[in-house]
Amino acid sequence: MVEIKFDDEEILEDTLIKRLCEGKSQWTYEPSIKTHADLWANFRKILEINNKDVLDDHPLTDAEFRQIQGQMEFTSFYEAGKFLVGENGIAKVPLQREDASLGMVMLTVFKRQDVAGGSSVYQVINQFQAPKTNHLDQNARFDVTLLFNGLPLIQIELKKRNVNYMEAFNQVVRYVASDKYRGLFSCLQTFVISNGHTTRYIAASNDIERKKQFLTRWNNSKNEPVDNLFDFAKEVLSIPQAHQLISFYSILDDDSKNIIILRPYQIHAIKALQAAASKHESGYIWHTTGSGKTLTSYKASRNLYQLPRIQKTIFLVDRVDLDQQTTNSFLSYAQNDTVDIESTDNVGKLKKHLLSNDRSVVVTTVQKLNYLIGKGENRLTDSQLAKLKQLEVAFVVDECHRAISPEQQHILKKFFINSLWYGFTGTPIFVENKKQAVGNLPQTTEEQFGQRLHEYTIKEAIGDKAVLGFQVENKQMITRDQAYEIVNEHFPNKNAYDMEPAELEEYIPSGYFASDAYKLKVIDDIVNNMAWKFALDREAGKSYGAILTTSSIKDAQRYYELFKEVKNGQSKVKISDNIRKKQADFPKFAITYSISENQELTPQNKEKMMEALADYNDEFDTSFSLETIGAYNRNLNDRLARKKNKYKIRSEQVDIVIVVDRLLTGFDAPSLSLLFIDRPPMTPQGLIQAFSRTNRLYDDRKTYGQVVTFRTPFAFQDAIRDAFSLYSNGGGNFVTAPDYKEAKRRFEDAAAGLLQFQIVDDPELEVSYESMKEFLKAFQKFDKANAAVMVYSDYTDEEGYFKNIIGENQLKEYMEYYEYVKALIGPDGDPSDDEFDLLDINYQPISISTNIIDYSYLTSLIQEKANSRGEMNHKNNDEIEKTLAELIKQNPAKAEVYRQIIEEIDQNPDKYQDAIIDEVAKDKFNTIIQANIDEFADNYKVNKEDLEFLIANYPIDKKEVKKPLGEDKLIKNANKDLYNQASGENLSLLKFKSMLRKDTHKFINQKIRPYFE
């Protein structure tokens, strides 16, 4: 399609509305709905029509409708999502009729299943007027909103073509932050942002500013990008697709309290699976690890119930603790869904669920199924066996090659004669890496499950920014001279000096890697040379986690003991002062191995594990034992994953978990960024699975999943190349970062490009728009190259911006100038600049530490204190005090408010138990700001509304690029005579204006701005 250029936002908006409503569309444009009153009236009308039978010719009274209004305003978008799920997919509001004789009735608001028919009403509105929520705010207008039964569920924010589409996202962020989405707009579930030729969508969130990495591009079923707004509208926003997106392809995650809108590849995979099931065909889904397979498989399992012939869906997981993370994820997703998830803790429960007529997804293991259908006492009667054999059942298998073997599947297929099988895997087994032949059993994924129904490789996922690429370092821990000595000692008949390095490493005996001397080298490297990899330079709680995988339980245990000696100062390896300054308690470590191995612990292994559990209990105030090893593993999983607020606190975090194979598959932890491998190369699928623990999206600083191997670098290099070649459709070079030498060269090029620019910080000197734009590009290129090279372990702090190519002071000056130039250019750039959209005007540098405290960390600490009714351990209270002390240095005004909240929780633990601390703090800030404004307006005899307008338009950047909007009006309307009378002074008009101008700026900077920083 030829792209139409829209230089005017209004034209873009009008055209979108026409496209949505033209032809046989079910959308109706409602131009008269512009205010909250209009929106409520429209909702009331639709509600009465859809509930005519229930109301029984007794229309809603105004008092009754106010009852309903009170129930239709939600504290968060997530809470609105819970309401929309309703009971059995029908959202209803209870109403006590004003006429008591009419009793209580339930009014239907929205039906998830009623797509494109029945009671569903689809409307389009635009330029909705959202009034300001406080005197310092401004009124807003929402561009285009899609209403479902009168409820605003999708909002589309637009910018004109030559404005970066991220400005539309920033607009949404500002609306959320200023509480614009009130009333029925609190029901929003999805945002769409676009400038016409770049379009993205994202789930509604009250914390949306921190979720921009989840902005999603739509791809069609062929995985071709759909960026154009009108193509996107046709594929996603038309009916039935828009209704399906909200009802069938969204999930409420009860653990994180977030709405999740599926990505395109997940939706296409679910549709492909349903199409196969309707034809009674099996198959498998290849979605690369890290792309949300568990989420996709959950929704696929749930949506299979739309096919009447399927009586049961059985979701099979690996036997290791029922893959606790997968089961917990399912239970979290199902908490607010219309389908029941049954976790079968024992065979008795499994038997009950399978024989019942309830429609539920049963989560279980192959082992429990085989036990149930096997012959033995107290299992199944003949009639029960007959019933199960005839069951129309769909098996959905997560991590399908780990959860079930061909032999096990063969047994189940013979029993469940009407079964369909759907495997999910990030690493299919192909002919190239097929399993060893066992009789005529399947050797590849296709042979075991059927045809491939949908494919989404790691190359595609990285291209879509659904996952990160990998930065891999294959380290040589043995010098060439050491290698010569080792080989000559063990193979005297070989001439080691004639060998090439790759051949030489083949003769290093495995026993060398078992030595303490070697392990201490590895520990020294991890602890002292990888501060940037761990992000230890950041504030507490914001560093990354790591996994160290070893060859055996014995190796893992020895590593644990050596780490402990290093941490306690009992080893020749010392933690450097530089590391201790960055993170005084680093590293915090733990050990785990799989439950199946624990069940066969030798006396020595039992003793070692008991010691590790005692250390863990002492560090984190827990009480685990060998009898509760499963609970320990679950707790460690949560602590490493850091998804729960409790584990975002530094005192509750673990840095490194030492494993053999556990956690290398199926474990999801976005804050985990590092994988250390000290073992021989795994299989291609094993390598990809292990690597993919590190490449989940997390924050701006995390740009790659980082992997470091510590032995046989040449063997690893070959194994990794082969693995990526097999699993990325030939895109191996695309998914991995360059080596250190190449990264350093790119940095030097970027630094040279930045040094060409001179800093011009004088407003009197003209700097061309093009020059400023080129400077922004050069600085961003430098910052990205700098951040990329600093995570290599070859890089050290002593290297100092590569031998002073750019000195630290000069870099800080460039940083300040960068912010200054951004403010000069502004978010919209030059209207005549057709390429402005290519410039990321919102880019925030990531390689330069600013040491500015992140308030979200402090509020999360206080939130945890409030939720626990003040009953936190001393470490967490110490963490609060430490973080608050840092805030006091930077912003005493804000610190005092947080201190007040903490004291109130200590004095009255119940006061804020159910409150959102972030909102409590904002309310207190606003109260203080209003009091300061009242006092200033009264003292200086200025118009309060003039002062509020000036504050609302005051430049955020401390460099004033122009006179603040509203300043002249404030001074013009000020009452000099009244001021002189009240103060006892006798200022002339000129002196009064000069004094007022100066004192107003001082007032805003000292009494207002601190609460907004």
Side-chain angles (χ1 to χ4, degrees):
M1 159 173 193
V2 177
E3 183 180 332
I4 303 173
K5 293 187 176 182
F6 291 90
D7 296 316
D8 190 303
E9 189 178 312
E10 186 177 344
I11 297 175
L12 183 66
E13 183 179 302
D14 290 343
T15 307
L16 172 62
I17 294 170
K18 289 175 183 175
R19 294 284 181 91
L20 285 171
C21 299
E22 66 187 2
K24 296 181 179 180
S25 167
Q26 294 195 42
W27 289 113
T28 302
Y29 177 43
E30 300 289 348
S32 63
I33 300 176
K34 299 295 184 188
T35 66
H36 282 293
D38 299 334
L39 195 63
W40 282 116
N42 178 67
F43 171 70
R44 179 174 180 171
K45 178 182 176 182
I46 295 169
L47 188 69
E48 288 183 323
I49 292 172
N50 282 342
N51 292 276
K52 191 174 181 180
D53 293 343
V54 178
L55 294 172
D56 193 25
D57 293 328
H58 294 278
L60 293 171
T61 66
D62 290 344
E64 288 173 341
F65 189 64
R66 284 193 292 273
Q67 264 191 68
I68 294 168
Q69 285 179 298
Q71 298 178 71
M72 294 301 299
E73 294 197 48
F74 299 96
T75 57
S76 70
F77 301 125
Y78 170 79
E79 290 297 325
K82 286 172 61 176
F83 167 77
L84 291 171
V85 169
E87 187 175 342
N88 297 320
I90 302 175
K92 295 183 178 183
V93 289
L95 173 67
Q96 177 61 56
R97 300 309 304 261
E98 194 172 0
D99 181 347
S101 67
L102 298 176
M104 171 82 76
V105 294
M106 298 294 293
L107 302 183
T108 298
V109 176
F110 180 71
K111 295 181 179 180
R112 295 181 71 176
Q113 302 291 335
D114 197 5
V115 180
S119 63
S120 294
V121 178
Y122 306 108
Q123 299 166 304
V124 182
I125 66 172
N126 70 319
Q127 291 301 303
F128 182 89
Q129 299 163 15
K132 60 184 181 180
T133 53
N134 63 63
H135 294 303
L136 307 183
D137 198 6
Q138 294 175 320
N139 295 330
R141 289 178 181 268
F142 303 152
D143 291 335
V144 178
T145 308
L146 305 184
L147 310 183
F148 298 70
N149 286 8
L151 303 177
L153 299 187
I154 300 176
Q155 193 213 327
I156 307 162
E157 197 63 33
L158 302 172
K159 293 296 175 185
K160 57 187 177 181
R161 182 183 61 84
N162 62 340
V163 174
N164 191 299
Y165 74 96
M166 283 300 293
E167 269 308 301
F169 177 72
N170 293 333
Q171 188 76 61
V172 170
V173 169
R174 289 191 287 272
Y175 289 160
V176 171
S178 58
D179 198 19
K180 288 293 192 302
Y181 298 116
R182 293 188 167 194
L184 284 176
F185 266 90
S186 65
C187 296
L188 280 170
Q189 298 292 285
T190 306
F191 291 110
V192 175
I193 62 168
S194 180
N195 62 0
H197 59 74
T198 303
T199 307
R200 299 290 185 267
Y201 69 95
I202 188 171
S205 168
N206 294 80
D207 192 27
I208 199 165
E209 184 176 10
R210 298 192 183 103
K211 298 184 184 299
K212 64 182 178 182
Q213 68 267 35
F214 295 106
L215 284 166
T216 301
R217 178 179 69 188
W218 182 260
N219 289 352
N220 62 23
S221 57
K222 297 178 182 177
N223 207 45
E224 298 166 338
V226 178
D227 279 322
N228 179 277
L229 174 62
F230 307 120
D231 292 339
F232 176 89
K234 183 178 180 181
E235 289 218 11
V236 183
L237 300 181
S238 58
I239 300 298
Q241 287 89 335
H243 191 134
Q244 290 171 340
L245 185 72
I246 296 296
S247 293
F248 299 154
Y249 302 121
S250 67
I251 289 172
L252 298 176
D253 186 348
D254 187 60
D255 282 344
S256 65
K257 301 294 186 286
N258 280 322
I259 303 167
I260 302 173
I261 304 291
L262 297 190
R263 290 176 177 265
Y265 60 87
Q266 295 173 305
I267 295 172
H268 296 316
I270 292 167
K271 288 181 176 179
L273 189 148
Q274 286 177 299
S278 65
K279 294 184 286 187
H280 209 67
E281 295 174 352
S282 298
Y284 77 95
I285 304 291
W286 173 17
H287 280 187
T288 187
T289 49
S291 61
K293 284 195 311 303
T294 300
L295 191 62
T296 312
S297 58
Y298 165 78
K299 206 62 179 176
S301 303
R302 182 245 181 276
N303 285 359
L304 279 172
Y305 280 124
Q306 294 176 12
L307 302 175
R309 68 180 298 170
I310 294 178
Q311 297 170 282
K312 290 285 180 185
T313 300
I314 299 177
F315 189 83
L316 290 181
V317 295
D318 182 64
R319 72 178 298 172
V320 179
D321 199 22
L322 270 183
D323 193 353
Q324 188 64 35
Q325 196 176 42
T326 297
T327 305
N328 282 345
S329 294
F330 262 55
L331 294 172
S332 179
Y333 301 151
Q335 185 68 33
N336 298 299
D337 204 347
T338 57
V339 65
D340 292 327
I341 301 295
E342 303 292 352
S343 176
T344 54
D345 299 328
N346 55 61
V347 176
K349 282 188 177 181
L350 176 61
K351 174 182 174 180
K352 176 183 175 183
H353 294 320
L354 290 183
L355 290 171
S356 76
N357 294 321
D358 297 336
R359 295 177 68 78
S360 61
V361 176
V362 177
V363 181
T364 191
T365 63
V366 170
Q367 289 75 21
K368 284 190 174 65
L369 272 175
N370 280 336
Y371 186 87
L372 178 66
I373 64 176
K375 295 180 180 178
E377 193 176 349
N378 298 323
R379 298 201 190 160
L380 291 167
T381 66
D382 290 343
S383 62
Q384 289 172 334
L385 280 169
K387 180 178 179 179
L388 288 190
K389 282 187 179 224
Q390 297 299 321
L391 205 61
E392 295 275 359
V393 59
F395 286 93
V396 179
V397 192
D398 191 29
E399 299 291 353
C400 60
H401 293 295
R402 184 161 61 95
I404 189 168
S405 68
E407 295 93 333
Q408 293 167 327
Q409 187 183 27
H410 179 70
I411 294 170
L412 291 179
K413 278 185 172 182
K414 283 183 66 177
F415 182 85
F416 292 100
I417 58 176
N418 295 319
S419 62
L420 295 172
W421 289 82
Y422 302 104
F424 281 79
T425 180
T427 49
I429 306 300
F430 301 114
V431 172
E432 293 88 338
N433 61 327
K434 64 184 179 182
K435 297 180 178 180
Q436 186 175 353
V438 179
N440 63 347
L441 290 174
Q443 294 176 267
T444 68
T445 307
E446 186 164 344
E447 289 174 357
Q448 187 174 349
F449 288 93
Q451 65 178 327
R452 188 186 309 164
L453 302 176
H454 194 261
E455 170 185 310
Y456 191 68
T457 70
I458 193 166
K459 180 179 178 181
E460 293 164 333
I462 292 171
D464 289 342
K465 298 183 179 178
V467 299
L468 302 172
F470 299 101
Q471 184 243 323
V472 183
E473 292 185 67
N474 299 313
K475 305 207 75 173
Q476 178 59 271
M477 303 301 290
I478 306 172
T479 67
R480 182 75 63 87
D481 288 341
Q482 287 174 327
Y484 289 150
E485 291 179 11
I486 293 168
V487 173
N488 283 333
E489 179 185 348
H490 289 85
F491 300 95
N493 296 329
K494 298 284 184 182
N495 188 350
Y497 298 100
D498 290 341
M499 294 181 183
E500 293 296 321
E503 182 185 5
L504 193 64
E505 80 173 20
E506 293 178 10
Y507 286 91
I508 303 294
S510 59
Y512 172 80
F513 301 111
S515 69
D516 283 358
Y518 166 77
K519 285 184 169 61
L520 284 171
K521 280 186 181 180
V522 171
I523 293 173
D524 188 20
D525 202 32
I526 291 174
V527 170
N528 289 319
N529 294 336
M530 300 192 185
W532 261 87
K533 284 185 179 295
F534 280 99
L536 297 184
D537 58 296
R538 304 173 88 185
E539 63 270 19
K542 291 299 182 70
S543 59
Y544 298 137
I547 290 174
L548 167 61
T549 174
T550 67
S551 298
S552 65
I553 291 178
K554 183 179 179 181
D555 267 355
Q557 290 169 338
R558 188 56 188 149
Y559 260 119
Y560 181 85
E561 292 166 347
L562 292 172
F563 264 108
K564 192 172 174 180
E565 290 174 10
V566 171
K567 182 78 178 284
N568 294 337
Q570 300 166 338
S571 169
K572 65 179 182 181
V573 173
K574 305 297 180 184
I575 302 173
S576 71
D577 290 340
N578 180 45
I579 296 298
R580 291 192 183 280
K581 286 176 185 176
K582 287 181 167 65
Q583 197 75 267
D585 59 358
F586 178 85
K588 296 200 285 184
F589 48 90
I591 186 171
T592 180
Y593 17 92
S594 68
I595 296 295
S596 58
E597 289 169 297
N598 282 335
Q599 290 169 349
E600 300 170 6
L601 287 173
T602 63
Q604 182 183 6
N605 282 346
K606 283 185 178 180
E607 184 180 341
K608 300 280 188 188
M609 180 53 74
M610 287 170 63
E611 290 175 7
L613 288 172
D615 294 338
Y616 189 88
N617 291 336
D618 183 58
E619 177 70 39
F620 298 115
D621 293 329
T622 53
S623 55
F624 298 111
S625 65
L626 287 180
E627 288 72 31
T628 58
I629 195 74
Y632 162 73
N633 281 325
R634 290 191 291 275
N635 184 268
L636 182 56
N637 285 3
D638 289 342
R639 199 174 298 279
L640 183 59
R642 303 182 189 175
K643 291 181 179 180
K644 298 178 180 177
N645 283 334
K646 177 180 180 180
Y647 302 116
K648 290 179 171 60
I649 299 171
R650 174 61 194 167
S651 60
E652 296 289 348
Q653 293 176 349
V654 63
D655 298 307
I656 303 167
V657 176
I658 305 166
V659 306
V660 182
D661 292 317
R662 193 169 183 274
L663 302 182
L664 297 187
T665 57
F667 179 66
D668 178 57
S671 61
L672 178 73
S673 182
L674 284 154
L675 174 68
F676 300 120
I677 304 178
D678 185 38
R679 60 190 291 177
M682 296 90 100
T683 62
Q685 59 270 30
L687 279 171
I688 296 296
Q689 286 281 357
F691 276 33
S692 297
R693 298 316 100 206
T694 68
N695 73 331
R696 269 58 166 175
L697 301 177
Y698 185 53
D699 57 20
D700 290 343
R701 170 76 173 264
K702 185 179 177 184
T703 52
Y704 286 104
Q706 301 174 89
V707 179
V708 182
T709 70
F710 289 109
R711 61 170 84 174
T712 59
F714 293 99
F716 263 106
Q717 183 176 322
D718 292 344
I720 292 167
R721 183 192 61 238
D722 293 344
F724 280 126
S725 177
L726 186 62
Y727 286 112
S728 64
N729 279 352
N733 293 333
F734 179 77
V735 301
T736 54
D739 60 21
Y740 178 68
K741 184 177 179 181
E742 173 61 18
K744 187 171 179 179
R745 185 194 65 76
R746 293 182 185 182
F747 167 83
E748 290 167 344
D749 288 348
L754 182 61
L755 285 169
Q756 293 178 6
F757 290 88
Q758 297 295 317
I759 293 176
V760 180
D761 199 6
D762 186 349
E764 299 298 322
L765 295 177
E766 289 289 332
V767 181
S768 72
Y769 173 80
E770 283 301 319
S771 294
M772 290 191 292
K773 195 172 76 168
E774 291 305 313
F775 170 76
L776 292 190
K777 289 180 182 177
F779 185 87
Q780 290 173 6
K781 181 179 179 181
F782 164 82
D783 183 66
K784 291 173 183 176
N786 193 23
V789 80
M790 291 173 90
V791 297
Y792 288 83
S793 51
D794 288 331
Y795 177 89
T796 62
D797 285 347
E798 288 71 29
E799 205 159 350
Y801 301 111
F802 291 106
K803 310 201 186 305
N804 298 317
I805 290 177
I806 294 183
E808 190 168 355
N809 290 334
Q810 186 177 14
L811 184 56
K812 287 181 179 178
E813 289 177 1
Y814 273 127
M815 174 70 180
E816 291 178 0
Y817 188 55
Y818 173 73
E819 296 296 338
Y820 178 49
V821 169
K822 278 208 307 181
L824 283 172
I825 288 180
D828 297 341
D830 186 335
S832 63
D833 183 4
D834 289 343
E835 296 184 349
F836 180 71
D837 186 47
L838 302 177
L839 180 68
D840 188 355
I841 194 69
N842 302 295
Y843 180 84
Q844 291 297 322
I846 56 176
S847 72
I848 305 164
S849 177
T850 58
N851 295 318
I852 297 297
I853 194 167
D854 183 345
Y855 297 115
S856 66
Y857 181 60
L858 179 58
T859 53
S860 69
L861 287 168
I862 302 174
Q863 186 74 62
E864 186 68 25
K865 184 181 181 75
N867 293 346
S868 64
R869 301 177 66 191
E871 296 177 3
M872 296 177 72
N873 61 45
H874 69 278
K875 290 181 181 178
N876 291 349
N877 281 318
D878 289 347
E879 190 75 18
I880 288 177
E881 289 302 318
K882 177 183 172 184
T883 309
L884 192 61
E886 289 299 315
L887 176 57
I888 289 171
K889 296 176 188 176
Q890 297 168 21
N891 192 327
K894 258 193 170 181
E896 180 55 36
V897 173
Y898 286 117
R899 169 75 71 190
Q900 184 185 108
I901 295 171
I902 293 166
E903 289 175 353
E904 289 174 1
I905 294 173
D906 287 335
Q907 293 166 7
N908 183 1
D910 295 329
K911 183 171 183 178
Y912 295 131
Q913 187 180 2
D914 297 320
I916 300 172
I917 297 300
D918 207 27
E919 296 300 321
V920 172
K922 284 180 183 177
D923 288 343
K924 287 183 178 291
F925 296 154
N926 286 332
T927 300
I928 293 169
I929 289 168
Q930 284 298 327
N932 289 343
I933 288 173
D934 290 342
E935 182 181 1
F936 185 88
D938 182 57
N939 288 343
Y940 287 86
K941 309 309 175 187
V942 298
N943 185 296
K944 184 178 173 182
E945 290 184 359
D946 290 344
L947 180 58
E948 289 172 344
F949 182 83
L950 172 60
I951 292 171
N953 290 278
Y954 202 78
I956 296 173
D957 191 82
K958 291 186 179 180
K959 297 176 182 293
E960 293 183 33
V961 298
K962 60 182 179 180
K963 185 183 294 184
L965 185 64
E967 182 182 86
D968 287 343
K969 185 179 180 183
L970 174 84
I971 294 172
K972 179 182 177 181
N973 292 339
N975 193 321
K976 172 186 72 75
D977 295 336
L978 199 58
Y979 172 80
N980 281 339
Q981 181 182 341
S983 65
E985 299 186 44
N986 188 25
L987 297 178
S988 66
L989 182 61
L990 184 63
K991 285 188 176 181
F992 174 72
K993 287 184 176 180
S994 176
M995 178 271 297
L996 183 56
R997 191 185 307 274
K998 178 181 176 183
D999 286 3
T1000 302
H1001 285 268
K1002 182 179 178 182
F1003 165 72
I1004 294 175
N1005 284 317
Q1006 294 182 0
K1007 297 290 189 179
I1008 302 296
R1009 176 173 270 156
Y1011 298 101
F1012 288 121
E1013 286 182 349

